[in-house]
Amino acid sequence: MNDRILMTFSPDGETRTDFVCRPEKAADARDAVSAFVARLHPAPNSHMVQNLLLLVSELVTNAVRHAGAVTALWLTADRRGVHIRVTDPSPALPQDRTPDLTGRTGGFGWPMVQRLAQEVGVRATVDGGKVILATVER
């Protein structure tokens, strides 16, 4: 998994930290989140970190399961929150489904994403895929 960290400074002096990678599975994404939050100052509280880990795991799992791959995971932190972008090659939008209690067909991930994030959005990408955007407040 190739990754990179970028730090930028806005005109108002705020520092923004960006982390970009291309995880192949949810475990890679959790490792990326852990490495990312370890560099944040002030450090997020443990509840926020747990929510980020679960949220990113679900988004990456859904992209791999339903779109075949993650083309990028981009984490951005500013003083307001942590912003997550997961891109994949499929134009198909996430669907609300009745959860399958037997575990065969899922249906739990997208509702969980919507509950964990303060903001969730989906946009088409220029290459025909989509990006899921989610924000967790600091």
Side-chain angles (χ1 to χ4, degrees):
M1 176 175 69
N2 293 329
D3 56 356
R4 58 191 165 143
I5 293 181
L6 312 162
M7 291 189 75
T8 58
F9 300 94
S10 65
D12 66 358
E14 180 180 357
T15 302
R16 191 179 92 181
T17 303
D18 293 89
F19 185 91
V20 183
C21 64
R22 188 175 178 184
E24 294 180 13
K25 57 188 184 257
D28 294 340
R30 288 189 297 273
D31 290 345
V33 169
S34 295
F36 177 74
V37 298
R39 292 177 173 90
L40 297 181
H41 296 286
N45 66 47
S46 62
H47 184 322
M48 180 189 182
V49 173
Q50 290 171 352
N51 284 347
L52 283 170
L53 289 166
L54 187 53
L55 183 68
V56 170
S57 284
E58 287 300 324
L59 289 172
V60 167
T61 297
N62 286 349
V64 171
R65 176 181 279 173
H66 300 291
V70 172
T71 52
L73 165 62
W74 190 299
L75 303 167
T76 303
D78 56 30
R79 71 182 127 165
R80 294 178 313 273
V82 174
H83 313 281
I84 303 145
R85 288 182 279 177
V86 175
T87 60
D88 67 51
S90 171
L93 299 177
Q95 299 292 314
D96 285 324
R97 296 182 293 133
T98 302
D100 178 5
L101 298 178
T102 68
R104 285 180 281 184
T105 61
F108 294 95
W110 186 241
M112 187 181 312
V113 165
Q114 293 173 312
R115 282 192 297 278
L116 290 172
Q118 279 66 45
E119 297 176 36
V120 179
V122 182
R123 294 188 189 142
T125 60
V126 294
D127 61 357
K130 70 178 167 302
V131 58
I132 309 281
L133 305 113
T135 297
V136 176
E137 291 179 351
R138 281 190 103 164

